[in-house]
């Protein structure tokens, strides 16, 4: 089975720009969560998608938005980038209702300059 | 939002030593998960604990879930350099993570 794939792996953007990060969930998984991880910190929950709808959101402003597609892949969009948005963005997938835990991708390293 | 506190924040030990890291909350969890993350990679699931008082062993790693399902510990016996990494706990209720314990095992 394929794992979680994220693209791109690295990205450099300028403050004020917009960015789209992509995630392909693991085969058989239907739920995707996105996390922001600053250097030296634990992952911070951004939001979760299930059945193409947002199902829970962390303490992030509306300029962080997302989508889930019928094939369960997902996008994270960030508008009006700020320097503090520089971080590793992680996508994780699971099968809804399972205790089996999440499978994470290797992340997208976003640098805002 | 259920807050998870992990301690210690940093731990540096010599190879062969034993260690325990902790994950505590004031909230009850239906289950709790431990992950290990290496630099440049996403977290990898180590174990899920579900039942209060449960003990699970994964080779040299022993995980315990508190009786009240509010806390958990991870004990590593005879640490190896390959155990180096960021150890994270997450509550299955809402998949929020603690800040992690950064473990360095020196040869």
């Amino acid at each position: 089975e394929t794992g979680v794939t994220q693209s791109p792996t690295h990205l450099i953007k300028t403050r004020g720009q917009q960015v789209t990060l992509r995630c392909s969930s693991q085969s058989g998984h239907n739920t995707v969560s996105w996390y922001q991880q600053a250097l030296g910190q634990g992952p911070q929950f951004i939001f979760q998608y299930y059945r193409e709808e947002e199902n829970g959101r962390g303490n992030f402003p509306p300029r962080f938005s997302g989508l889930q597609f019928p094939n369960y892949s997902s996008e994270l969009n960030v508008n009006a980038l700020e320097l503090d948005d520089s971080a590793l963005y992680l996508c994780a997938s699971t099968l809804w209702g399972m205790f089996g835990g999440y499978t994470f991708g290797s992340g997208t390293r976003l640098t805002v300059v | 939002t259920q807050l998870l506190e992990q301690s210690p924040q940093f731990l540096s030990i010599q190879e062969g030593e034993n260690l325990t890291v902790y994950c505590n909350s004031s909230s009850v969890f239906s289950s709790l998960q431990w992950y290990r993350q290496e630099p440049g990679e996403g977290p990898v699931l180590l174990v899920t604990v579900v039942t209060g008082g449960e003990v699970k062993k994964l080779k040299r790693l022993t995980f315990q879930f508190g009786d009240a399902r509010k806390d958990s510990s991870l004990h590593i016996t005879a640490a190896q350099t390959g155990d180096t990494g960021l150890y994270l706990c997450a509550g299955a209720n809402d998949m929020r993570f603690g800040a992690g314990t950064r473990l360095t095992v020196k040869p």
Side-chain angles (χ1 to χ4, degrees), chain A residues 33 35 37 40-45 48 57-59 88 90 98-107 109, chain B residues 9-10 30-31 33 35 37 40-45 48 50 86 88 92 94-100 102:
Chain A
S33 295
Y35 293 84
Q37 186 174 27
Q41 303 294 320
Q44 297 295 311
F45 176 70
Q48 181 183 80
R57 188 179 182 93
N59 189 27
L88 180 67
L90 294 163
M98 297 297 292
F99 285 135
Y102 279 69
T103 302
F104 281 82
S106 296
R109 172 70 62 187
Chain B
Q9 186 177 0
F10 297 96
S30 57
S31 66
Q33 292 154 357
Y35 293 78
Q37 185 179 23
E41 298 294 328
V44 174
L45 179 67
T48 301
V50 179
L86 179 66
L88 297 158
D94 58 7
M95 275 305 291
R96 260 73 166 180
F97 283 82
R102 189 164 298 280

Side-chain angles (χ1 to χ4, degrees), chain A residues 15-41:
Chain A
R15 189 172 50 184
Q17 286 188 313
Q18 177 266 344
V19 68
T20 297
L21 310 182
R22 294 179 174 82
C23 172
S24 294
S25 60
Q26 180 171 307
S27 175
H29 287 181
N30 58 11
T31 304
V32 172
S33 295
W34 285 92
Y35 293 84
Q36 180 195 67
Q37 186 174 27
L39 207 59
Q41 303 294 320

Side-chain angles (χ1 to χ4, degrees), chain A residues 84-106:
Chain A
D84 284 350
D85 295 333
S86 295
L88 180 67
Y89 288 84
L90 294 163
C91 170
S93 72
T94 192
L95 182 62
W96 181 264
M98 297 297 292
F99 285 135
Y102 279 69
T103 302
F104 281 82
S106 296

